Amino acid sequence: MPTDDELLEAWRGGEREAGGELFQRHFDSICRFFANKIDRDVDDLVQRTFTACVEGKERFAGKSSFRTYLFGVAHNVLREYWKMNDRRQ
């Protein structure tokens, strides 16, 4: 079984399946992250997190684990969500 780092490098090299496997590996954890913090819009926030990860895959410097990076992205997505909801209220 390849490591997250190996999958990330393969994905950066153009192997779309490697990116899919990487996301599949962490999908449930990211869903739980949001479900434990909000009651709605979980699917949307999960989608935003993985979209941001796709857009920023080349910026990940490898100074932490991919999982840490992914949860950092999720945290930023959640903060933005809360900020937007505060503005609406």
Side-chain angles (χ1 to χ4, degrees):
M1 176 180 265
T3 66
D4 285 355
D5 290 338
E6 291 168 338
L7 288 172
L8 179 61
E9 285 309 310
W11 182 35
R12 285 176 170 168
E15 292 182 34
R16 297 179 78 192
E17 298 82 19
E21 185 175 337
L22 195 55
F23 287 164
Q24 194 170 40
R25 183 177 287 182
H26 297 287
F27 184 82
D28 290 340
S29 297
I30 294 296
C31 284
R32 280 191 303 274
F33 171 81
F34 288 116
N36 287 330
K37 291 164 181 50
I38 59 174
D39 294 332
R40 58 191 170 127
D41 300 326
V42 169
D43 291 340
D44 182 48
L45 296 181
V46 169
Q47 181 67 33
R48 288 186 203 178
T49 298
F50 285 111
T51 298
C53 185
V54 168
E55 292 169 352
K57 72 180 178 182
E58 298 301 328
R59 288 186 299 248
F60 175 61
K63 294 180 181 178
S64 64
S65 70
F66 178 78
R67 179 180 169 85
T68 299
Y69 168 73
L70 186 58
F71 275 90
V73 172
H75 177 76
N76 290 337
V77 167
L78 182 61
R79 254 189 336 169
E80 186 64 29
Y81 173 81
W82 281 335
K83 191 181 343 180
M84 294 289 285
N85 281 336
D86 284 346
R87 288 183 194 155
R88 290 181 188 158
Q89 294 177 358

